[in-house]
Amino acid sequence: MTKFHRNGLAKMYLNSIFTNPERLERLLDIAQSSFLPLLEGAIQYTIPLTLISFTIGLILATLTALARISTVKFFQIIARIYVSIIRGTPLLVQLSILFYGLPTVGITLEPFTAAIFGFSLNVGAYASEVIRAAILSIPKGQWEAANTIGMSYSQALKRIILPQASRVSIPPLSNTFISLVKDTSLASFILVTEMFRRAQEIAAFNYEFLLLYSQAGLLYWIFCFLLSLVQGRLENRFDRYVSKA
Amino acid sequence: MIAINNLHKSFGDLEVLKGIDLNVEKGQAVVVIGPSGSGKTTFLRCLNILETPTAGTVAIDGHMADFSKPLPKKQIMEFRKQSAMVFQHYNLFPHMTALENVMEGPVTVQKIDRAEARAKAEELLTKVGLKEKMNEYPFQLSGGQQQRVGIARALALEPKVMLFDEPTSALDPELVGEVLQVMKELALEGMTMVVVTHEMRFAKGVADEVLFMDAGRIVERGTPQEIFDYPKEERTKQFLNLIQNADTI
């Protein structure tokens, strides 16, 4: 396609919107009528998928981080292998294995379940590095002070180390969370009718790909924008015990 | 109260403690002095098992720890309860207010009722002169105030022995006095204390016994007068000279 030709198409698209009232009306109609199905996809799948996977992922990540910094070699190695595999393979490949691959060995997962597994494992691996770094950033003296007032390892972790580590990890974990919101669109590939798949389905019916995909994109953007506001609030809350100087 | 027998500690090939023997009576304040690298901080940390000694025994109030074999975790925890530590860099919990710092041990470890722990923590903070600062976070306090919270936090566990690891070394000179004052009051109340410090005036004024450590051994011990006015060992004399010279520059 020549450059001239492409420009010509773009011009035609815009012209058709602004000069042809019927065309504009059709687009507005479709935008309006697809808004609710898209939102429904978000509420039914995108948001639950994100929240559940992130929660499970965080637990997994904390355990993995603790395994990485433990003195038991076996735990260290298991954690390293897990992180290496998940970070070293594409999420789309992981989801495909879970949903399309596992039935071969007799394990059949529902689309939503497979997606939860995939995203949780993914968050677990990426966030474990964040949490590990955050735990290691807490001065050794904090462990010692906890020990010297008689705390066990788990008490020290729960009361002293993790509360401080969570402050440090809010910005990088927010990154992980926001990435996850967008990554859930990959679940469309394993038949979860989340927001992006809804957009695909509607567009396949009326051929307004640009409109539908832009609309879905806009909704993702709005979600992520709201999340960044939440991040700001969390940071403020956790910064109350840190010198502003 | 404290009986230490042939205590050894090595970090790899480096032998830091080469056999320490010491008895501390109940109510005594023992001050440990010595050049840096002499092993005095390591010695103190061994008494709370923040460092695990390589050999020897320590008994605090009848609770015996024998380091010739690995100790089970439970025994370490039980042994730690006998003493409490005050750190050079305070090591307060930054995410908790002064009051919460002091309450943390009693509530989380000793499972004491919150209201009761709170009343006790308030009493202790009042005692160290921080009644007005109870609800401040550590970053809002001066170094001297933070260290006094550190002392209150240690006292909250009602230890039989207080261990002080250079408690005033990180402080601005004008803040040293307020911390030493609190420590002096504790000694007068009959608290058994082991203090590693560079504050010679505190050693002279408060200690029942002064130990001079060098190269992993106790070189000389005696009353403050014996150590400061009539030191017998050459190394003790050298060390005291260096300190006095530094004072006159």
Side-chain angles (χ1 to χ4, degrees), chain A residues 77-154:
Chain A
I77 291 170
I78 295 288
R80 267 173 187 276
I81 292 174
Y82 161 54
V83 173
S84 173
I85 289 176
I86 298 295
R87 288 205 308 187
T89 54
L91 182 49
L92 199 54
V93 173
Q94 294 162 14
L95 290 174
S96 304
I97 290 175
L98 284 167
F99 185 67
Y100 295 111
L102 286 185
T104 314
V105 292
I107 304 170
T108 309
L109 298 172
E110 292 293 311
F112 188 72
T113 320
I116 293 280
F117 269 106
F119 293 126
S120 300
L121 285 171
N122 216 262
V123 170
Y126 278 94
S128 77
E129 291 293 283
V130 169
I131 293 174
R132 183 172 70 97
I135 290 176
L136 293 179
S137 77
I138 307 303
K140 199 166 148 256
Q142 291 291 309
W143 284 103
E144 291 185 347
N147 284 336
T148 194
I149 64 169
M151 285 188 177
S152 63
Y153 176 79
S154 59

Side-chain angles (χ1 to χ4, degrees), chain B residues 74-86:
Chain B
K74 219 171 172 180
Q75 203 190 336
I76 293 179
M77 306 253 299
E78 188 58 35
F79 184 82
R80 275 199 182 123
K81 281 186 197 160
Q82 311 307 316
S83 61
M85 185 94 167
V86 176

Side-chain angles (χ1 to χ4, degrees), chain B residues 36 45 81 112 117 152 202 207 227 236:
Chain B
S36 54
R45 288 164 61 84
K81 281 186 197 160
I112 287 173
F202 177 79
I227 297 290
T236 319

Side-chain angles (χ1 to χ4, degrees), chain B residues 8 27 29-30 32 35 43 52 104 129 132 142 145 151 166 173 175 180 185 191 205 209-210 213 218 220 223 234:
Chain B
H8 286 263
V30 174
V32 185
F43 166 60
T52 309
E104 187 59 26
E132 317 299 323
S142 73
Q145 290 167 339
I151 294 173
E166 305 195 19
L175 302 176
L180 292 182
E185 281 162 26
M191 176 59 82
E209 188 175 19
V210 177
M213 268 184 82
I218 297 177
E220 192 168 355
T223 63
E234 201 49 44

Side-chain angles (χ1 to χ4, degrees), chain B residues 123-140:
Chain B
E123 191 187 306
L124 282 168
L125 283 169
T126 309
K127 180 175 163 169
V128 297
L130 292 173
K131 193 173 193 283
E132 317 299 323
K133 301 280 182 186
M134 281 193 296
N135 294 315
E136 310 264 307
Y137 284 99
F139 82 91
Q140 295 165 305

